[in-house]
Every structure is written in C-alpha cells, then in structure tokens.
Amino acid sequence: MPRLSRRQFLNSSLLLAGVCAASTHAAIPGAGLKLKAKTKLTLFKYAHVQLDASKLREQFQYQHNLFMGINNDKLLKPFRSRAGQPAPGEDMGGWYDDSRDFHIDPNDWSTANWHGYIPGHSFGQYISGLSRSFAITNDINTAKKVKDLVTQYIPTISKTFFEEYYLPAYTYDKLAIGLIDAYQYVGVAEAKTALAKLTDVVLPFLPEKALTREERRARPYTQEAEIRDEPYTLPENLFLAWQLGMGEQYKELALRYMQNEALFDPLAKGISPLKGKHAYSHVNALNSAIQAYYATGEQKYLLAAKNGFDFVVQQSYATGGWGPNEELLAADDTETLFNSLTDTHRSFETPCGVYGHFKIARSLLQITKQSTYGDSMERVLYNTILGAKPTLPDGSTFYYSDYSHDASKFYRGEQWPCCSGTFIQLVADYGISAYLHDEKGVFVNLYIPSRVDLNIAQQTVAIRQATQYPLEKTSRFEIDTPKPIAFSMHLRIPTWAGAATHIVVNGKKSNTQIIPGSFLELSREWKQGDIVEINFDMGLRLEPLNKRHPELAALLHGPLVLFPINSENNVYTSAQLLSAQLLNAKQNTTQEWSLSLADKKILFKPFMFIGDEKYRLYNKLAVTDKRP
C-alpha cells in the first residue's frame, strides 16, 4: 500500500471521522425512527456481515473494482456537457452518453439506435453501489471516490440536464438513491444539499402524479421513449430520504407519487392489475408500498406488497425469474411462460430483476418472519444472477437470462444499459440478505460462506459460516464469544428439504423437529467454539411449468435447477429424469449430473456453471407421464 503524505493522512482521518459519526445514526432502509409500522426482524449493518471466498464475493469484488476503476471525468461527462460546462474525459458509450443519436421507430424496434438514450442514467446507482461497498469494506479510497463524485456532480445540477430528456423520473430516482446512500453510508453531508437542489430542478419535468403508461400515452408526446418513464417507482427512495432526515418535503412527494388507484388499491384487494405491465419497474414499485406502510402504518400497502409479490411468484419460471417478452408481466395466465419458451430469448431481466426481487422479499421477510421469502431469494440467487456474465469495462452487460428451448448466454447489444447500475447495488446487498436478527438472536436466511457479528446483551458474538452449499448438503457454524451467552439461532428450512434433514450440535444429533418452510430455532447458552451443522436432505425432484402444462418440467436438486446441456428436445419419463446421477460426487465442484438415455448420455448443469454451451430449462415428459 502506498504511503500517505501528512496532508492525505489528515484528510483521510477527517473523512473517516465524518463517516463514523454518520454511521452511528444511519438507518438501514426500513429501520428509521419515524416509522409507524414495526418489523419483526431487523437487518444487520453492512459492516457486520463479511463474505468469505465464494462466487458471491467474487461478484462483489469484481463490480467494486470495475466502478472504482472508471475515471470520474468519464462518469461526470454527460452532466457537465448538458450543463454547458467543460466536459473532459472519454465518453462512457451506449445509453450513458450525451448524444443525439438515439432513435426508435415504434413500428420496427429492430432498427433502434440506443446511443444517448438516457445520458447519465445509472450514475446514481454507481454511487449507491460504491457507498454500500464502503459500508462493507471501510475502504478509504472508496469513500473518497464517492465524496468526489458527489461534490463534483453538484455544480452540474441545472434544469438544462432534463430539457428534452426522455425519462426524467427514471433518472431522478437513480440519482436520488446515489445521494441518499452517499449521505447515509459514507457521511457525505453535501449529498443532502445536492438532493434538495436536484429535486427542485427536476420537479417541473415530472407529471403531477404517477401516470400509468396508458395515461401518459393519452397526452402529447414526440417520441415513443417518453411513454416509458417510471414515476411510480419514485416513492421508495423519497420515503428513505425523509426517513433519514434529509427533508420533510420528500414524504409529501412520496405520497404524491404513490400509484394507488391503478396499482396498490387493486393489489390490496387481491386483484392483479399487472398484466402487460413492465416487469422490473412494477416489482420495484412494490418496494414503494413497503416504505409507504412503514411511513403511514396503512395495512393496504402491506397487503398490496404481499399480494403483488405473490402474483409475480405465481407466474415465475422454475429459476425464480419472471417477466419475459420485452419484460412484461402476466396475470392469471397459463400461456405466457409456455409461449416464451419458443418466442423469445429474453426471459428474465436479470440484474434489475434480482435486485428488485431481493428488496421486496427481504422486506416481507422482515415484516412477517416467513421463511418462504428466503426460499424465493435463494432460488433467484443460484439460478439467475450467480450465472450472469460479468459486466465488461466497455459497458457490455449481461441483461437477459435465456430460458428458451434453444438457450444460450449473451450480452445485450448496447453499452451501459439500465442493469449496469443495479448489479453493483445487488452484490453489495448479499451480506445484509444473508442474516437478520431480533432482540433474542440471529436468523440465518442464506447459506453462504460468511461471518456475522451480532450484539447480544452488550456483548459481541461472531458466527462464522463455512459451506459449499448448495453444491454440498451441509453448512457449518462456529461460535466465537468471549464468554458464554444465551441467544437463539434460527435456521431457514427450505420447503423442499427432505425428511432426513437434521441438525448436529457439537457432534451430537439434535432431536429438534424439522419443519420445511419454517425457521428452526436453536436456543441455548453458547460457548466459545460451539459448532452447529445443518445437513440437508436434497433429493432430485421435478417441477412442472404450471398446472396447464405438466408435460414440461424442470429438474431440480435442492435449490438448484439442472439444465440439460447441448441436448436435443428429448422426451423423458419422470423416472428417467429422476435417475440422473451426480458425476464424480467426491470431486464434483460444479454439480454436473449425467443421465443415460438409449444410446446417449445427457449432461445437466446449474446455471452458474454454464458457459458458452447451448442449454434448455424445461424437459418434455412422455404423454403418459405428466405428473412429476
């Protein structure tokens, strides 16, 4: 590490002092002091969970390093350019640039030119991801970059940025979360001023309420792109700004942009208005319902969030992904997913989708203590985002997971599309998604190599989790405590867990009852070096596409979907699929399975270990064998 000069050391020390002062009162989303609704579980602070070696940590480190390595002038260029200021540095490329090249023919989208579509759109998300990264790592260089980006952004804030700008609400929302996170996690006081200035500047360019696309289309417009703005996602971050004491005006704005009549009112009544709606943004809007529930205490918002999430899960693939066919949701529909297997390779908008999915599932888990929300998070984690190709330095982004009958992994054709910003936010949230707590102990939500530090009765206890799950069936927890202390450890038992699933404490099998789809509680006085092991009964199983199409089924092992690789559209019996064998079980670190069929062998792999091979998600069952 290079030596710091005295001036650099003093500046770093002052910055860290400000950060520490900020972090002592900073609220993790959903845990503010002004809330009228309480949660049953609380998130840990980012720094209290550290990832050990795994694909999750690799993704986090990669994304962190990627955005740390992008020159500040390059990131700030579209803001300076649109403000009429000197704009040194290279262009980022793609959607991000200040360019007049963008064009869409609504009758022929294949001819679209996306260059300059929404300049600077993901800047706020990059700041957000780096701010959360600092909260995890306490890396002074990360804090400095965040502070520099915020302070250098402030002089560019002017109304000229939003003039002739296609998606002002969309970009304002992302700029807001960047400033909120810089304020909350890095202690950048200037972010509060920046958000106030930005809000004043953007308001004349926003509609008076959260218009639906249909309502927006009924008004004058010059470009089809203008219809796609997303004011209905604004309340989540506006509520968070209010909750953190950044200004009372943000609560008023949040309530103004709640899409009650068109979205939350019907969802609260158990009626889905989601058919044909943009998938990610409407799932993300459910997080606004959560924040409205916290802020107002109104049960309708909690019901809307729960029912909306349930509707999405009901129309999901076996991977947990949703929203195919240009990212559209369905409602009470049995054919959308079926048709998508032959009609599209754009099956699930992965980084954005998982980011929104994790947020709403994590919040519902906090509120309800229902472990099935953790099951849902686990499914999308292992079968979608952990198999994503890495974002390339030129902005090439893995955007869609492909679940078609002739599937492959590919980058979206444009540089720096919208999901280039959610990926870094998502990977920074892996730790806070793994563990939660109440006043009596810790809840283990995800089985990942990691360490969590919890405070019980003014005593710090560390729990280290060692595991290769789900490639192996066991996860091991070691207690590090300065003196014996009583608390509860709750382990999530997935709904698929078999009857032989069991717990071992200090080498002795526990007789605690295992109930799939619940948290198992281990309550005792824990001592230094105590060991807990959970051993999962993971059998192979089949999941049909839906009730209407039982002839198509995915093969799963634990939470992992197993995809046939470079395979023809074979017809199997259930017994044949369930006879698949794990290859080289003792040395197999990639969960490759093999199935003998007539004169050929079929290889199956989890999504996160598929490279450039062709694959498919669903297997065709024999006509006489449609009941997996």
Side-chain angles (χ1 to χ4, degrees):
M1 177 180 294
R3 296 184 62 183
L4 298 178
S5 68
R6 184 175 183 274
R7 180 183 295 274
Q8 288 172 321
F9 174 78
L10 289 173
N11 288 342
S12 299
S13 300
L14 289 171
L15 178 58
L16 279 177
V19 168
C20 292
S23 65
T24 58
H25 69 265
I28 287 178
L33 299 178
K34 300 178 181 180
L35 305 185
K36 293 187 178 180
K38 295 183 178 180
T39 62
K40 295 179 180 178
L41 297 175
T42 303
L43 300 181
F44 284 93
K45 290 183 178 180
Y46 281 93
H48 290 180
V49 183
Q50 297 294 321
L51 301 180
D52 288 334
S54 65
K55 287 184 75 69
L56 289 86
R57 191 172 75 174
E58 290 172 9
Q59 282 189 335
F60 168 72
Q61 291 177 331
Y62 181 91
Q63 287 285 322
H64 178 245
N65 292 340
L66 174 69
F67 289 102
M68 284 294 292
I70 300 177
N71 179 270
N72 288 5
D73 285 339
K74 193 172 181 178
L75 290 166
L76 288 158
K77 187 165 186 176
F79 300 99
R80 290 168 170 166
S81 173
R82 293 180 73 85
Q85 300 172 357
E90 299 177 4
D91 286 331
M92 288 278 284
W95 292 27
Y96 198 89
D97 291 348
D98 180 24
S99 166
R100 301 295 179 182
D101 292 345
F102 168 72
H103 173 74
I104 286 180
D105 180 349
N107 299 313
D108 185 6
W109 282 64
S110 65
T111 64
N113 183 341
W114 295 90
H115 184 221
Y117 175 31
I118 32 180
H121 64 98
S122 44
F123 177 75
Q125 292 177 314
Y126 305 155
I127 293 178
S128 168
L130 289 172
S131 298
R132 298 177 195 192
S133 297
F134 169 74
I136 297 166
T137 64
N138 206 36
D139 174 60
I140 190 63
N141 291 322
T142 303
K144 183 179 185 306
K145 188 174 184 74
V146 169
K147 183 177 177 65
D148 287 348
L149 286 172
V150 171
T151 54
Q152 292 169 24
Y153 165 66
I154 292 173
T156 73
I157 300 174
S158 70
K159 67 177 183 179
T160 58
F161 179 82
F162 292 104
E163 290 175 351
E164 298 183 12
Y165 195 90
Y166 295 121
L167 306 181
Y170 176 96
T171 297
Y172 168 61
D173 188 45
K174 289 157 182 56
L175 289 168
I177 191 57
L179 296 171
I180 289 166
D181 283 356
Y183 179 77
Q184 178 175 197
Y185 299 124
V186 191
V188 181
E190 296 91 337
K192 181 177 179 180
T193 302
L195 182 59
K197 185 177 179 182
L198 172 65
T199 303
D200 287 343
V201 162
V202 77
L203 277 175
F205 299 91
L206 299 181
E208 74 283 2
K209 66 170 188 173
L211 299 175
T212 65
R213 286 191 179 178
E214 293 77 13
E215 289 172 326
R216 181 64 187 86
R217 192 178 296 281
R219 300 184 175 194
Y221 64 96
T222 59
Q223 270 271 13
E224 178 69 18
E226 298 170 35
I227 305 302
R228 295 174 170 257
D229 208 5
E230 300 171 358
Y232 46 83
T233 68
L234 292 175
E236 177 190 10
N237 292 329
L238 292 169
F239 277 126
L240 291 178
W242 162 75
Q243 187 186 134
L244 288 167
M246 297 180 79
E248 288 296 316
Q249 72 272 29
Y250 299 115
K251 182 181 180 182
E252 297 174 9
L253 279 175
L255 293 171
R256 169 177 157 184
Y257 286 104
M258 289 297 292
Q259 199 175 76
N260 291 312
E261 184 178 349
L263 184 60
F264 299 126
D265 288 345
L267 283 176
K269 297 174 183 176
I271 301 168
S272 174
L274 298 176
K275 185 175 182 179
K277 303 296 184 184
H278 181 250
Y280 163 65
S281 62
H282 283 82
V283 171
N284 205 32
L286 300 179
N287 294 294
S288 290
I290 290 291
Q291 294 304 328
Y293 169 66
Y294 289 147
T296 68
E298 289 188 41
Q299 285 291 317
K300 90 167 182 181
Y301 291 120
L302 177 58
L303 286 172
K306 291 173 68 174
N307 291 340
F309 187 73
D310 287 346
F311 282 129
V312 171
V313 170
Q314 290 166 18
Q315 56 178 275
S316 297
Y317 298 95
T319 63
W322 33 262
N325 296 322
E326 299 299 335
E327 306 158 25
L328 299 180
L329 292 168
D332 302 322
D333 179 276
T334 61
E335 301 306 303
T336 295
L337 294 190
F338 176 78
N339 292 331
S340 76
L341 299 177
T342 53
D343 291 351
T344 185
H345 293 282
R346 300 179 170 191
S347 304
F348 176 47
E349 185 189 359
T350 302
C352 278
V354 180
Y355 178 61
H357 191 111
F358 260 48
K359 281 195 297 177
I360 184 61
R362 192 167 58 226
S363 293
L364 291 172
L365 174 58
Q366 283 183 260
I367 293 167
T368 67
K369 273 189 180 178
Q370 292 179 9
S371 67
T372 50
Y373 292 113
D375 290 359
S376 177
M377 295 168 73
E378 174 181 81
R379 184 170 288 222
V380 297
L381 174 66
Y382 292 116
N383 299 306
T384 69
I385 192 64
L386 282 186
K389 287 176 172 286
T391 308
L392 299 182
D394 69 356
S396 297
T397 300
F398 182 84
Y399 194 94
Y400 293 110
S401 290
D402 182 1
Y403 304 140
S404 73
H405 289 327
D406 182 31
S408 62
K409 291 184 178 180
F410 56 92
Y411 286 102
R412 179 158 180 152
E414 306 89 40
Q415 297 170 289
W416 306 112
C418 66
C419 291
S420 63
T422 46
F423 207 157
I424 186 174
Q425 292 176 295
L426 168 66
V427 296
D429 286 354
Y430 281 159
I432 64 165
S433 300
Y435 303 92
L436 301 92
H437 67 92
D438 62 11
E439 66 281 359
K440 295 181 180 179
V442 63
F443 285 70
V444 179
N445 184 46
L446 298 177
Y447 295 100
I448 61 176
S450 54
R451 171 191 167 110
V452 59
D453 295 328
L454 57 150
N455 188 281
I456 302 289
Q458 298 183 333
Q459 179 175 322
T460 299
V461 178
I463 302 174
R464 170 146 268 150
Q465 181 179 180
T467 185
Q468 294 298 316
Y469 176 95
L471 307 182
E472 295 181 356
K473 301 179 180 182
T474 302
S475 198
R476 182 179 185 270
F477 301 86
E478 182 173 357
I479 310 300
D480 182 2
T481 177
K483 59 183 179 180
I485 186 169
F487 66 90
S488 295
M489 181 185 297
H490 301 257
L491 303 177
R492 181 177 55 82
I493 308 299
T495 53
W496 51 258
T501 299
H502 63 278
I503 307 295
V504 177
V505 180
N506 294 331
K508 183 178 179 181
K509 186 175 179 179
S510 171
N511 59 5
T512 305
Q513 183 182 10
I514 303 292
I515 303 175
S518 70
F519 281 104
L520 178 145
E521 181 179 3
L522 296 173
S523 185
R524 55 180 284 155
E525 183 178 76
W526 300 93
K527 301 184 295 297
Q528 175 69 22
D530 279 348
I531 302 292
V532 175
E533 292 181 348
I534 182 167
N535 297 276
F536 294 99
D537 180 2
M538 289 186 186
L540 288 173
R541 69 187 189 282
L542 298 176
E543 286 191 7
L545 176 68
N546 53 37
K547 291 181 180 179
R548 177 70 177 81
H549 291 286
E551 76 279 7
L552 292 176
L555 178 65
L556 289 90
H557 182 250
L560 288 175
V561 177
L562 302 176
F563 294 74
I565 303 298
N566 294 330
S567 172
E568 300 173 2
N569 188 11
N570 300 302
V571 178
Y572 307 89
T573 66
S574 295
Q576 285 174 325
L577 286 170
L578 295 174
S579 70
Q581 297 292 313
L582 182 63
L583 293 174
N584 304 317
K586 293 184 178 180
Q587 293 83 30
N588 194 336
T589 59
T590 58
Q591 277 282 319
E592 294 185 2
W593 293 70
S594 178
L595 170 64
S596 296
L597 187 67
D599 59 346
K600 53 190 171 185
K601 288 184 178 288
I602 312 299
L603 180 67
F604 292 78
K605 285 186 180 182
F607 193 66
M608 58 183 170
F609 295 115
I610 295 173
D612 295 327
E613 308 100 320
K614 289 283 188 177
Y615 62 90
R616 57 191 296 118
L617 170 55
Y618 286 100
N619 305 282
K620 189 173 183 179
L621 295 179
V623 175
T624 57
D625 189 21
K626 293 183 180 179
R627 295 183 179 180

